[in-house]
Amino acid sequence: MADHSKKLHIAMFPWLAFGHLIPFLELGKLIAQKGHRISFISTPRNIERLPKIPSNLAPSITFVKLPLPHVENLPENAEATMDVPYHIIPYLKKAHDGLQQPLSHFLETSAPDWIIHDFAPHWLPPIATKLGISRAFFSIFKASSLCFFGPSKSSVTEAHEPRTEPKDFTVPPKWVPFPTKIAYRLFEAKKIFESFEENASGVSDWFRLLTIYLGADALAVKTCTEIEGEWMKLLGELHDIVPVIPVGLLPPSTQEIGDNNKDSTWGTIGEWLDKQEKGSVVYIALGSETQPTQQDFTELALGLEQSGLPFFWALRKRSGSVGGDSVELPEGFVERTQGRGVVWTDWAPQLRILAHESVGGFLTHCGWSSVTEALQFGRALIMLPFLTDTGLIARFLEEKEAGVEVPRNEENGSFTRESVAETLRLVVKDVEGKIYRDNAKEMATIFGDMNLQSTYIDKFVELLENRRRVREG
C-alpha cells in the first residue's frame, strides 16, 4: 500500500464507450488497491450503468458526473456509443468536446497529480500542462493495433509511402520490421479510412490520437510483453518521445465470478450449462457496440443452427439505442433450436459463463476485453470482427492460432451461414481444430495469471509515483 502521506490523486477520463469505460474502471480499481485515490470522470448516465465497486475500494474511488452538453443531431439521453447508430458517433464526439470547460474546472479545483485519459480529448494536454498535472494516455487498443495506426513522429512516415487510399491499409505497414499478416480487409479499410478524415465533430480521429500522443507524459497500453513483446518494442521506437509502458491485460478478478452467485439469473443459466457435455457449448456475445445488419444477423443465426452444436447466445438489446434499426431472429429459429440452444435477452454474467467447463468456444466480435476474458479461461475463439481495431485483433489471434475467423467477402464483409457453421465445428469439435483449443488453453497461463498481471500494475504505479517525486524534488 502507498504511504498515506504520499497518496496520489489520479483523475481518469475515458471516452464515452463501454469498451473504454470498463477497462478504465478496472485500471482505476487496481491503482486504488495500491492505496491511491481515484476520481473517475464521465457523464451521469454512464456512471449509473457501471458495475458496482467492491466495498473495500469504495472509499478510494469517487465518481465525478459531468453532464453531457446538448448537441444537435444527438438524441436526448444518448451518452455512450451503445446509445446511438454508428453514423451519429461524430456528434457524440462533438458533445464530448463540450466537456472541456467543466473538466477544466474540476482539474483546477481538485488538483490531481495525474490525469489518465483516452484518445478523444485533444484539447486536454495544454489545460493539464498549465495546471501542472501529469498526463498518461491509456490505450485500450493493444500494441500491435497502435503500431499499425502509425508513429507520432513524421520521420518514420516520411521514409515510407504515405497511405492515401483504403487498399494501403490492407497490407502490413512498412515500418513493421518483422513478418506479420496483421492488416485490414478491404471492407474494414474503407471504414477505417474515414478516421483519417474530418468528421462532424470538426476534427478527425487521427488528429485526436496524434495530438494526444504528442501531449502525453506516458503511454500506457492494455497488453503485456509475454503476448506482444516485439510489438511493444516497436511501439516504443515509434513513440520515443514518451515512456511506453504495458499495464497488463487487466483480466477481471476471479472474485467477481463469485460475486455473480448473488445474481438470480445465474441459477437458470448454470443449471442449463451443467447439463451440457464438457467443452461442447458455443457461447456467443457480440458486445454492446456491435450493430450487425439484418443479413449478417440472419446468416449468423442460421449458421449457428446448421452447426448442430449446443449454444448459449447472449443477445441483449442495445440499451436505449436511438434511431438504430433493431434486428430480428429468423422466423422459427428459437422453436427449431429449443433444447439445444438458449437465446438469452437479459444481462448475462459473461465471466461466469466463460469459466464454466461446458463452454468449448466463444463466438466473439473480438473486442480486446472480451477476448481477454475468454483466454483467461482458455476458450478457443470463433472470430467475427465488426468495428475499429477488432479486425486487427482477429488477425493477431489467428497468428497465435488461438482461434479462427469466419471467412468473409473482402469487398463488402458479407459471410454465409455455411461458413459460420463450418468455422464453429472446426474450432469446437473437429479433430483438425484441436490445435486452436490447445493453444487457447496455453494462453490461459498468461491471460489468467493474476500474479503476473499484477506486476505490470506495480510497475505502472511506480512510474506514477516517481513522476511526482521528480516534480517535488
Side-chain angles (χ1 to χ4, degrees), residues 437-449:
R437 299 190 286 274
D438 289 348
N439 285 339
K441 284 191 179 76
E442 183 61 33
M443 286 178 90
T445 61
I446 296 167
F447 279 78
D449 185 338

Side-chain angles (χ1 to χ4, degrees), residues 1-2 7-12 23-39 57 60-61 114-116 136 138 220 247 250 454 456-462 464-465:
M1 294 289 271
K7 186 186 277 196
L8 292 174
H9 176 201
I10 295 161
M12 302 193 77
F24 265 76
L25 185 61
E26 205 57 45
L27 181 59
K29 280 157 49 178
L30 292 166
I31 296 170
Q33 270 174 17
K34 307 291 178 189
H36 298 297
R37 193 157 61 89
I38 301 292
S39 290
L57 295 179
S60 304
I61 300 175
W114 279 88
I115 181 159
I116 298 175
F138 171 41
V247 297
L250 309 181
S454 180
Y456 283 100
I457 296 296
D458 291 339
K459 285 175 191 162
F460 180 55
V461 169
E462 203 177 302
L464 300 177
E465 292 168 343

Side-chain angles (χ1 to χ4, degrees), residues 185 187-188 366 381-385 390-391 393-395 398 403-408 419 423 427:
R185 306 275 189 250
F187 70 93
E188 296 165 332
C366 292
L381 305 167
I382 303 95
M383 298 182 283
L384 195 59
T390 54
I393 292 171
R395 318 290 117 78
E398 275 210 319
V404 179
E405 200 174 335
V406 174
R408 285 161 106 152
S419 63
T423 313
V427 173

Side-chain angles (χ1 to χ4, degrees), residues 161-402:
E161 291 293 310
R163 297 186 285 190
T164 55
E165 51 186 326
K167 72 175 176 58
D168 299 334
F169 290 81
T170 61
V171 292
K174 296 209 171 72
W175 52 77
V176 179
F178 44 83
T180 181
K181 289 179 182 159
I182 297 178
Y184 282 110
R185 306 275 189 250
L186 187 58
F187 70 93
E188 296 165 332
K190 287 172 185 168
K191 206 164 223 183
I192 276 299
F193 200 65
E194 295 168 10
S195 64
F196 287 81
E197 295 166 347
E198 186 180 309
N199 57 47
S201 73
V203 294
S204 69
D205 288 349
W206 177 240
F207 173 83
R208 289 178 190 276
L209 188 60
L210 206 53
T211 313
I212 286 296
Y213 275 143
L214 298 171
D217 292 310
L219 168 54
V221 188
K222 185 181 182 289
T223 192
C224 66
T225 50
E226 289 77 7
I227 293 292
E228 288 199 292
E230 58 189 357
W231 289 105
M232 275 304 293
K233 183 173 178 291
L234 175 60
L235 192 63
E237 290 162 8
L238 294 175
H239 304 289
D240 63 356
I241 42 179
V242 291
V244 175
I245 184 163
V247 297
L249 297 161
L250 309 181
S253 74
T254 41
Q255 177 197 342
E256 290 180 33
I257 298 174
D259 289 347
N260 281 323
N261 285 329
K262 299 170 196 158
D263 180 57
S264 56
T265 59
W266 176 248
T268 315
I269 297 169
E271 207 174 296
W272 184 83
L273 288 170
D274 287 344
K275 291 175 186 162
Q276 311 307 314
E277 270 180 55
K278 185 178 176 181
S280 68
V281 175
V282 180
Y283 172 58
I284 304 108
L286 296 179
S288 58
E289 318 290 314
T290 308
Q291 301 176 37
T293 62
Q294 182 62 60
Q295 186 191 343
D296 287 347
F297 193 70
T298 300
E299 292 303 311
L300 172 57
L302 296 176
L304 197 53
E305 183 180 345
Q306 206 169 297
S307 74
L309 296 169
F311 65 86
F312 187 96
W313 192 347
L315 184 57
R316 201 175 175 199
K317 292 283 184 204
R318 289 158 52 75
S319 75
S321 178
V322 188
D325 295 328
S326 63
V327 286
E328 300 296 332
L329 286 166
E331 203 174 331
F333 171 83
V334 174
E335 292 74 17
R336 292 193 302 273
T337 57
Q338 206 161 17
R340 172 161 72 83
V342 173
V343 177
W344 190 265
T345 53
D346 204 347
W347 177 81
Q350 178 158 297
L351 209 59
R352 186 83 167 139
I353 294 167
L354 287 167
H356 198 282
E357 65 173 14
S358 72
V359 174
F362 179 29
L363 196 158
T364 173
H365 66 302
C366 292
W368 191 220
S369 293
S370 288
V371 164
T372 299
E373 291 182 8
L375 292 175
Q376 185 178 349
F377 300 107
R379 304 299 174 226
L381 305 167
I382 303 95
M383 298 182 283
L384 195 59
F386 285 94
L387 292 167
T388 53
D389 74 326
T390 54
L392 300 180
I393 292 171
R395 318 290 117 78
F396 173 81
L397 292 163
E398 275 210 319
E399 280 192 355
K400 300 274 184 194
E401 294 189 304

